[in-house]
Amino acid sequence: MPEFDLLTTTIIIGGLVAIVMSIVGYATLAERKVSAWIQDRVGPNRVGPLGLLQPLADGGKFFLKESPIPSHVDKIFYLLAPAAAMAIALLALAVVPWGGTTPPPKPVAVNMAADGKTPDYSKAVQRFDAEQGEYRNQFQGVIAPGLDIGIVYVFALGSLAIYGVILGGWSSDNKYSLLGSLRSSAQIISYEIPLGMSIVGVVLFAGSMNLETIIAWQKQNGWFLMFQPLAFLLFMVSVYAECNRLPFDLPEAEQELVGGYLTEYGSLKFGMFMLGEYTHMITTSFLMSIVFWGGWSLFGLEEVFTDPIAAAVLKAAILGGKMLGFLLLYIVIRWTIPRFRFDQLMGLAWKVMIPLSLLHLLAAMLVRQYGWSNWALTAISIGLFVAFGLVAAFKKIAPNNTPRRKVIPKMLPRVMVG
Amino acid sequence: MPIAESDIKWIEAPKLGFLEQLYLPIVYDGLKTTIGHIFGKSKTESYPEQEPKLPPNYRGVHRLNRDEQDRVKCVACYMCATACPAHCIDIVAAPAPAGWTDREKYPETFVIDELRCIYCGMCEEACPVDAIELTTLYDLTGYSREQLVFDKEKLLGIFDATTKSGTDPVRSRSGALGPASETAKA
């Protein structure tokens, strides 16, 4: 374990939160700008040059707005919900690397001493101390380095984020809010499964749930995107559902649910929900680039600089660039795919993604067990995807817009006219 | 009348083929469209900075034309006021001053209430001497209702302004009075 230094950690936390908050602010601006460009408009361009100060104006508006609490709400939970949404989203950032990292050293094996009977502890301790000392001296671009459960921690907090939505919907005492949060809980429960399953294959290959180790594996063997494209696809789709982003934004659904769980929220409380949502998007974008796109590695480009500071900056820039790319994809996808109907959403999760992720996990286990080449998994991955497409295309599907039971025509009572 | 079962036609969703079931080709197609639009040109007109290009037959604020001697072209025949469906034109006619040989009357006052006007262009159609015209001025603003009641001087001023800035309406035939006054001239 690297030594814990309160001051450094505080500075890193403060800096990271500040950066993430700025990215959130500019993500909202990017959302509006890119949406405008896609729709052949200009987008916000009045506050500051090119509208670049728009996030400040938005934030100021959220702060200065009156913040009424409707009389019919459950006050405690109503106020707790946005706080939970935001706090949990920020907590998940703690283990996500944002720059160059080195994997924590593996446990040291204790060998037998020269006499072959007693275990030689001193040598093992020596080696352990040396490895730990070397690890301690290296700069880690992550708030909490060396956390062994890494990705499980992120997932645990990611699914906790839904508590904010459910609490908000329930305590608002409003039909639309409740419907929105119910949809959200159903959606999250469904998509957590393929989300977790798609990662297990990666964890099996990297041999660790620690995100730094996963990056190190990819640096050595190639990105997981190449070996498990299907897992990446499943992960990305599930993550879109987790973040309540289009095409899976049923919990908000402005068109039919007036904003869903956000209906009764205004001013800063609404702002905190938004903050949580965008922070979640940033965390998941980081995860996608770390787990499947090689983290800070980029075909050896990350080792151009020998100077440690320049190298650290470059690694952070590479990872940040990948993250921003995924963030942009979120926005572009929003205007590309129309929203799913709720039964289609559930059908996609339970009939397609869960079986696919289970089969993919099975394939990953087989490849590991029999020591086949990593590329075998690529082939299986693509094969599974195509096979599911074929099944869907050629099986008989019941038409889903006709009534399930026979329509009984009702005769209206005859009315004499005139 | 209830709808008979035989009259109901259930339309089935089109069956998706293999590539459509894979989703990805379709998503790729969609992304091509959206990303193409990102780099496309914006169709927004940033109004105060960027003036709209109006067609020359746009019907905006009126103007009273001048003849070649810079006199008001109007002969105070009241045809525009009669044709006006909004009753926004008020003319007081007077005998033409001495030396105005081409007409008998001229407008002593000529007032248009630009707020009552519906910009239908009927006054322009009715005018026998092409004296009243609608210009391409569209940004008509004022601080009070009174400011938007335009009198003769103001309307002639609009003629000067639009002629100078080269935004004559497409219908304009400035200069001599129209064919209706030719007999008077002779």
mmCIF file of all heavy atoms in Angstrom, chain B residues 65-101:
data_model
loop_
_atom_site.group_PDB
_atom_site.id
_atom_site.type_symbol
_atom_site.label_atom_id
_atom_site.label_comp_id
_atom_site.label_asym_id
_atom_site.label_seq_id
_atom_site.Cartn_x
_atom_site.Cartn_y
_atom_site.Cartn_z
ATOM 1 N N ASN B 65 -44.219 57.811 -52.204
ATOM 2 C CA ASN B 65 -43.194 58.102 -53.205
ATOM 3 C C ASN B 65 -43.191 59.581 -53.584
ATOM 4 O O ASN B 65 -44.200 60.277 -53.458
ATOM 5 C CB ASN B 65 -43.446 57.257 -54.453
ATOM 6 C CG ASN B 65 -43.124 55.810 -54.191
ATOM 7 O OD1 ASN B 65 -42.499 55.491 -53.182
ATOM 8 N ND2 ASN B 65 -43.567 54.945 -55.082
ATOM 9 N N ARG B 66 -42.038 60.020 -54.044
ATOM 10 C CA ARG B 66 -41.921 61.384 -54.577
ATOM 11 C C ARG B 66 -41.824 61.300 -56.092
ATOM 12 O O ARG B 66 -41.323 60.310 -56.637
ATOM 13 C CB ARG B 66 -40.641 62.039 -54.049
ATOM 14 C CG ARG B 66 -40.595 62.280 -52.559
ATOM 15 C CD ARG B 66 -39.241 62.883 -52.219
ATOM 16 N NE ARG B 66 -39.005 62.944 -50.787
ATOM 17 C CZ ARG B 66 -39.417 63.960 -50.024
ATOM 18 N NH1 ARG B 66 -40.096 64.961 -50.548
ATOM 19 N NH2 ARG B 66 -39.143 63.953 -48.736
ATOM 20 N N ASP B 67 -42.274 62.364 -56.768
ATOM 21 C CA ASP B 67 -42.080 62.389 -58.216
ATOM 22 C C ASP B 67 -40.714 62.984 -58.521
ATOM 23 O O ASP B 67 -39.915 63.216 -57.619
ATOM 24 C CB ASP B 67 -43.221 63.151 -58.893
ATOM 25 C CG ASP B 67 -43.308 64.586 -58.424
ATOM 26 O OD1 ASP B 67 -42.378 65.024 -57.726
ATOM 27 O OD2 ASP B 67 -44.307 65.250 -58.732
ATOM 28 N N GLU B 68 -40.452 63.252 -59.823
ATOM 29 C CA GLU B 68 -39.093 63.692 -60.167
ATOM 30 C C GLU B 68 -38.782 65.084 -59.650
ATOM 31 O O GLU B 68 -37.628 65.501 -59.604
ATOM 32 C CB GLU B 68 -38.836 63.601 -61.674
ATOM 33 C CG GLU B 68 -39.697 64.480 -62.574
ATOM 34 C CD GLU B 68 -41.003 63.794 -62.956
ATOM 35 O OE1 GLU B 68 -41.903 63.810 -62.105
ATOM 36 O OE2 GLU B 68 -41.102 63.244 -64.068
ATOM 37 N N GLN B 69 -39.825 65.841 -59.233
ATOM 38 C CA GLN B 69 -39.568 67.161 -58.664
ATOM 39 C C GLN B 69 -39.596 67.128 -57.140
ATOM 40 O O GLN B 69 -39.788 68.156 -56.487
ATOM 41 C CB GLN B 69 -40.610 68.153 -59.170
ATOM 42 C CG GLN B 69 -40.513 68.386 -60.664
ATOM 43 C CD GLN B 69 -41.689 69.194 -61.153
ATOM 44 O OE1 GLN B 69 -42.099 70.133 -60.490
ATOM 45 N NE2 GLN B 69 -42.235 68.811 -62.299
ATOM 46 N N ASP B 70 -39.468 65.922 -56.588
ATOM 47 C CA ASP B 70 -39.428 65.731 -55.148
ATOM 48 C C ASP B 70 -40.714 66.132 -54.453
ATOM 49 O O ASP B 70 -40.724 66.389 -53.243
ATOM 50 C CB ASP B 70 -38.243 66.501 -54.525
ATOM 51 C CG ASP B 70 -36.965 65.691 -54.594
ATOM 52 O OD1 ASP B 70 -37.047 64.539 -55.097
ATOM 53 O OD2 ASP B 70 -35.912 66.173 -54.164
ATOM 54 N N ARG B 71 -41.800 66.218 -55.205
ATOM 55 C CA ARG B 71 -43.069 66.495 -54.574
ATOM 56 C C ARG B 71 -43.721 65.158 -54.250
ATOM 57 O O ARG B 71 -43.383 64.130 -54.839
ATOM 58 C CB ARG B 71 -43.979 67.298 -55.502
ATOM 59 C CG ARG B 71 -43.344 68.586 -55.990
ATOM 60 C CD ARG B 71 -44.185 69.246 -57.022
ATOM 61 N NE ARG B 71 -44.573 68.337 -58.068
ATOM 62 C CZ ARG B 71 -45.142 68.732 -59.222
ATOM 63 N NH1 ARG B 71 -45.396 70.009 -59.436
ATOM 64 N NH2 ARG B 71 -45.462 67.865 -60.137
ATOM 65 N N VAL B 72 -44.669 65.190 -53.310
ATOM 66 C CA VAL B 72 -45.360 63.936 -53.002
ATOM 67 C C VAL B 72 -46.153 63.532 -54.234
ATOM 68 O O VAL B 72 -46.740 64.363 -54.934
ATOM 69 C CB VAL B 72 -46.240 64.107 -51.755
ATOM 70 C CG1 VAL B 72 -47.345 65.113 -51.978
ATOM 71 C CG2 VAL B 72 -46.832 62.768 -51.360
ATOM 72 N N LYS B 73 -46.127 62.237 -54.525
ATOM 73 C CA LYS B 73 -46.746 61.753 -55.746
ATOM 74 C C LYS B 73 -48.252 61.628 -55.604
ATOM 75 O O LYS B 73 -48.981 61.585 -56.600
ATOM 76 C CB LYS B 73 -46.169 60.369 -56.068
ATOM 77 C CG LYS B 73 -45.553 60.274 -57.437
ATOM 78 C CD LYS B 73 -44.890 58.922 -57.572
ATOM 79 C CE LYS B 73 -44.934 58.428 -58.992
ATOM 80 N NZ LYS B 73 -44.396 57.077 -59.116
ATOM 81 N N CYS B 74 -48.706 61.568 -54.368
ATOM 82 C CA CYS B 74 -50.109 61.271 -54.089
ATOM 83 C C CYS B 74 -51.008 62.362 -54.664
ATOM 84 O O CYS B 74 -50.680 63.549 -54.617
ATOM 85 C CB CYS B 74 -50.303 61.158 -52.578
ATOM 86 S SG CYS B 74 -52.001 60.924 -52.076
ATOM 87 N N VAL B 75 -52.172 61.936 -55.218
ATOM 88 C CA VAL B 75 -53.122 62.901 -55.758
ATOM 89 C C VAL B 75 -54.368 62.977 -54.899
ATOM 90 O O VAL B 75 -55.383 63.527 -55.325
ATOM 91 C CB VAL B 75 -53.497 62.553 -57.212
ATOM 92 C CG1 VAL B 75 -52.280 62.657 -58.097
ATOM 93 C CG2 VAL B 75 -54.084 61.149 -57.269
ATOM 94 N N ALA B 76 -54.313 62.406 -53.678
ATOM 95 C CA ALA B 76 -55.400 62.468 -52.715
ATOM 96 C C ALA B 76 -56.722 62.006 -53.303
ATOM 97 O O ALA B 76 -57.738 62.685 -53.218
ATOM 98 C CB ALA B 76 -55.529 63.875 -52.145
ATOM 99 N N CYS B 77 -56.693 60.815 -53.934
ATOM 100 C CA CYS B 77 -57.917 60.311 -54.557
ATOM 101 C C CYS B 77 -58.711 59.446 -53.593
ATOM 102 O O CYS B 77 -59.812 59.031 -53.907
ATOM 103 C CB CYS B 77 -57.568 59.508 -55.796
ATOM 104 S SG CYS B 77 -56.638 58.026 -55.411
ATOM 105 N N TYR B 78 -58.119 59.111 -52.430
ATOM 106 C CA TYR B 78 -58.790 58.319 -51.398
ATOM 107 C C TYR B 78 -58.991 56.856 -51.785
ATOM 108 O O TYR B 78 -59.709 56.149 -51.097
ATOM 109 C CB TYR B 78 -60.157 58.919 -51.043
ATOM 110 C CG TYR B 78 -60.055 60.180 -50.217
ATOM 111 C CD1 TYR B 78 -60.042 61.416 -50.820
ATOM 112 C CD2 TYR B 78 -59.987 60.105 -48.834
ATOM 113 C CE1 TYR B 78 -59.949 62.568 -50.087
ATOM 114 C CE2 TYR B 78 -59.896 61.264 -48.080
ATOM 115 C CZ TYR B 78 -59.877 62.488 -48.697
ATOM 116 O OH TYR B 78 -59.771 63.614 -47.958
ATOM 117 N N MET B 79 -58.381 56.405 -52.873
ATOM 118 C CA MET B 79 -58.622 55.012 -53.248
ATOM 119 C C MET B 79 -57.955 54.046 -52.266
ATOM 120 O O MET B 79 -58.508 53.004 -51.941
ATOM 121 C CB MET B 79 -58.142 54.761 -54.674
ATOM 122 C CG MET B 79 -59.146 55.315 -55.655
ATOM 123 S SD MET B 79 -58.657 55.146 -57.327
ATOM 124 C CE MET B 79 -59.121 53.491 -57.697
ATOM 125 N N CYS B 80 -56.790 54.431 -51.786
ATOM 126 C CA CYS B 80 -56.128 53.557 -50.810
ATOM 127 C C CYS B 80 -56.933 53.501 -49.519
ATOM 128 O O CYS B 80 -57.154 52.416 -48.959
ATOM 129 C CB CYS B 80 -54.708 54.018 -50.557
ATOM 130 S SG CYS B 80 -54.558 55.735 -50.080
ATOM 131 N N ALA B 81 -57.398 54.662 -49.067
ATOM 132 C CA ALA B 81 -58.163 54.690 -47.825
ATOM 133 C C ALA B 81 -59.437 53.880 -47.966
ATOM 134 O O ALA B 81 -59.878 53.218 -47.020
ATOM 135 C CB ALA B 81 -58.479 56.128 -47.445
ATOM 136 N N THR B 82 -60.003 53.882 -49.154
ATOM 137 C CA THR B 82 -61.231 53.114 -49.386
ATOM 138 C C THR B 82 -60.928 51.626 -49.441
ATOM 139 O O THR B 82 -61.681 50.805 -48.921
ATOM 140 C CB THR B 82 -61.868 53.568 -50.711
ATOM 141 O OG1 THR B 82 -61.897 54.989 -50.724
ATOM 142 C CG2 THR B 82 -63.273 53.021 -50.844
ATOM 143 N N ALA B 83 -59.827 51.300 -50.083
ATOM 144 C CA ALA B 83 -59.501 49.879 -50.225
ATOM 145 C C ALA B 83 -59.036 49.271 -48.915
ATOM 146 O O ALA B 83 -59.137 48.055 -48.718
ATOM 147 C CB ALA B 83 -58.407 49.714 -51.279
ATOM 148 N N CYS B 84 -58.537 50.112 -48.004
ATOM 149 C CA CYS B 84 -57.909 49.573 -46.791
ATOM 150 C C CYS B 84 -58.912 48.802 -45.935
ATOM 151 O O CYS B 84 -59.897 49.377 -45.482
ATOM 152 C CB CYS B 84 -57.308 50.715 -45.981
ATOM 153 S SG CYS B 84 -56.494 50.122 -44.492
ATOM 154 N N PRO B 85 -58.703 47.511 -45.713
ATOM 155 C CA PRO B 85 -59.656 46.751 -44.897
ATOM 156 C C PRO B 85 -59.523 47.084 -43.411
ATOM 157 O O PRO B 85 -60.422 46.790 -42.636
ATOM 158 C CB PRO B 85 -59.281 45.309 -45.183
ATOM 159 C CG PRO B 85 -57.868 45.353 -45.580
ATOM 160 C CD PRO B 85 -57.627 46.671 -46.226
ATOM 161 N N ALA B 86 -58.402 47.690 -43.012
ATOM 162 C CA ALA B 86 -58.192 47.964 -41.590
ATOM 163 C C ALA B 86 -58.498 49.422 -41.249
ATOM 164 O O ALA B 86 -58.400 49.801 -40.086
ATOM 165 C CB ALA B 86 -56.753 47.647 -41.202
ATOM 166 N N HIS B 87 -58.852 50.198 -42.237
ATOM 167 C CA HIS B 87 -59.161 51.621 -42.038
ATOM 168 C C HIS B 87 -58.035 52.329 -41.298
ATOM 169 O O HIS B 87 -58.263 53.016 -40.315
ATOM 170 C CB HIS B 87 -60.473 51.788 -41.248
ATOM 171 C CG HIS B 87 -61.623 51.130 -41.918
ATOM 172 N ND1 HIS B 87 -61.988 51.412 -43.207
ATOM 173 C CD2 HIS B 87 -62.487 50.177 -41.484
ATOM 174 C CE1 HIS B 87 -63.026 50.666 -43.538
ATOM 175 N NE2 HIS B 87 -63.347 49.903 -42.511
ATOM 176 N N CYS B 88 -56.843 52.165 -41.762
ATOM 177 C CA CYS B 88 -55.726 52.767 -41.044
ATOM 178 C C CYS B 88 -55.187 53.987 -41.780
ATOM 179 O O CYS B 88 -54.258 54.627 -41.290
ATOM 180 C CB CYS B 88 -54.625 51.746 -40.825
ATOM 181 S SG CYS B 88 -53.849 51.219 -42.329
ATOM 182 N N ILE B 89 -55.725 54.311 -42.947
ATOM 183 C CA ILE B 89 -55.218 55.458 -43.711
ATOM 184 C C ILE B 89 -56.181 56.626 -43.555
ATOM 185 O O ILE B 89 -57.399 56.460 -43.711
ATOM 186 C CB ILE B 89 -55.052 55.099 -45.197
ATOM 187 C CG1 ILE B 89 -54.190 53.847 -45.333
ATOM 188 C CG2 ILE B 89 -54.454 56.266 -45.966
ATOM 189 C CD1 ILE B 89 -53.962 53.429 -46.750
ATOM 190 N N ASP B 90 -55.614 57.772 -43.174
ATOM 191 C CA ASP B 90 -56.441 58.966 -43.012
ATOM 192 C C ASP B 90 -55.836 60.077 -43.866
ATOM 193 O O ASP B 90 -54.702 60.490 -43.645
ATOM 194 C CB ASP B 90 -56.490 59.368 -41.537
ATOM 195 C CG ASP B 90 -57.406 60.549 -41.323
ATOM 196 O OD1 ASP B 90 -58.597 60.428 -41.664
ATOM 197 O OD2 ASP B 90 -56.908 61.601 -40.858
ATOM 198 N N ILE B 91 -56.604 60.571 -44.856
ATOM 199 C CA ILE B 91 -56.085 61.585 -45.778
ATOM 200 C C ILE B 91 -56.965 62.824 -45.683
ATOM 201 O O ILE B 91 -58.192 62.709 -45.604
ATOM 202 C CB ILE B 91 -56.086 61.068 -47.231
ATOM 203 C CG1 ILE B 91 -55.377 59.711 -47.310
ATOM 204 C CG2 ILE B 91 -55.445 62.070 -48.170
ATOM 205 C CD1 ILE B 91 -55.489 59.057 -48.662
ATOM 206 N N VAL B 92 -56.332 63.965 -45.623
ATOM 207 C CA VAL B 92 -57.082 65.217 -45.778
ATOM 208 C C VAL B 92 -56.605 65.845 -47.079
ATOM 209 O O VAL B 92 -55.426 66.169 -47.225
ATOM 210 C CB VAL B 92 -56.841 66.169 -44.590
ATOM 211 C CG1 VAL B 92 -57.569 67.491 -44.849
ATOM 212 C CG2 VAL B 92 -57.323 65.533 -43.307
ATOM 213 N N ALA B 93 -57.536 65.969 -48.031
ATOM 214 C CA ALA B 93 -57.152 66.476 -49.348
ATOM 215 C C ALA B 93 -57.256 67.992 -49.372
ATOM 216 O O ALA B 93 -58.010 68.594 -48.614
ATOM 217 C CB ALA B 93 -58.038 65.875 -50.423
ATOM 218 N N ALA B 94 -56.453 68.618 -50.256
ATOM 219 C CA ALA B 94 -56.532 70.067 -50.450
ATOM 220 C C ALA B 94 -56.276 70.327 -51.930
ATOM 221 O O ALA B 94 -55.644 69.492 -52.599
ATOM 222 C CB ALA B 94 -55.489 70.779 -49.594
ATOM 223 N N PRO B 95 -56.732 71.438 -52.468
ATOM 224 C CA PRO B 95 -56.437 71.763 -53.857
ATOM 225 C C PRO B 95 -54.932 71.847 -54.054
ATOM 226 O O PRO B 95 -54.218 72.354 -53.176
ATOM 227 C CB PRO B 95 -57.081 73.136 -54.045
ATOM 228 C CG PRO B 95 -58.078 73.250 -52.955
ATOM 229 C CD PRO B 95 -57.593 72.439 -51.819
ATOM 230 N N ALA B 96 -54.463 71.359 -55.167
ATOM 231 C CA ALA B 96 -53.022 71.350 -55.405
ATOM 232 C C ALA B 96 -52.493 72.761 -55.455
ATOM 233 O O ALA B 96 -53.170 73.664 -55.987
ATOM 234 C CB ALA B 96 -52.739 70.637 -56.720
ATOM 235 N N PRO B 97 -51.306 72.989 -54.916
ATOM 236 C CA PRO B 97 -50.747 74.327 -54.935
ATOM 237 C C PRO B 97 -50.529 74.802 -56.378
ATOM 238 O O PRO B 97 -50.435 73.972 -57.295
ATOM 239 C CB PRO B 97 -49.399 74.168 -54.220
ATOM 240 C CG PRO B 97 -49.474 72.873 -53.538
ATOM 241 C CD PRO B 97 -50.451 72.021 -54.252
ATOM 242 N N ALA B 98 -50.430 76.097 -56.537
ATOM 243 C CA ALA B 98 -50.237 76.645 -57.867
ATOM 244 C C ALA B 98 -48.934 76.136 -58.449
ATOM 245 O O ALA B 98 -47.935 76.010 -57.737
ATOM 246 C CB ALA B 98 -50.200 78.175 -57.780
ATOM 247 N N GLY B 99 -48.920 75.831 -59.719
ATOM 248 C CA GLY B 99 -47.709 75.318 -60.343
ATOM 249 C C GLY B 99 -47.678 73.812 -60.420
ATOM 250 O O GLY B 99 -46.891 73.255 -61.157
ATOM 251 N N TRP B 100 -48.544 73.106 -59.659
ATOM 252 C CA TRP B 100 -48.604 71.643 -59.762
ATOM 253 C C TRP B 100 -49.594 71.343 -60.885
ATOM 254 O O TRP B 100 -50.762 71.094 -60.654
ATOM 255 C CB TRP B 100 -49.067 71.017 -58.461
ATOM 256 C CG TRP B 100 -48.063 71.132 -57.338
ATOM 257 C CD1 TRP B 100 -47.164 72.115 -57.163
ATOM 258 C CD2 TRP B 100 -47.921 70.221 -56.272
ATOM 259 N NE1 TRP B 100 -46.432 71.918 -56.043
ATOM 260 C CE2 TRP B 100 -46.877 70.739 -55.457
ATOM 261 C CE3 TRP B 100 -48.533 69.030 -55.901
ATOM 262 C CZ2 TRP B 100 -46.463 70.097 -54.304
ATOM 263 C CZ3 TRP B 100 -48.121 68.404 -54.767
ATOM 264 C CH2 TRP B 100 -47.072 68.931 -53.969
ATOM 265 N N THR B 101 -49.100 71.361 -62.100
ATOM 266 C CA THR B 101 -50.017 71.323 -63.243
ATOM 267 C C THR B 101 -50.569 69.936 -63.497
ATOM 268 O O THR B 101 -51.549 69.775 -64.206
ATOM 269 C CB THR B 101 -49.288 71.776 -64.502
ATOM 270 O OG1 THR B 101 -48.111 70.974 -64.635
ATOM 271 C CG2 THR B 101 -48.920 73.248 -64.421
#
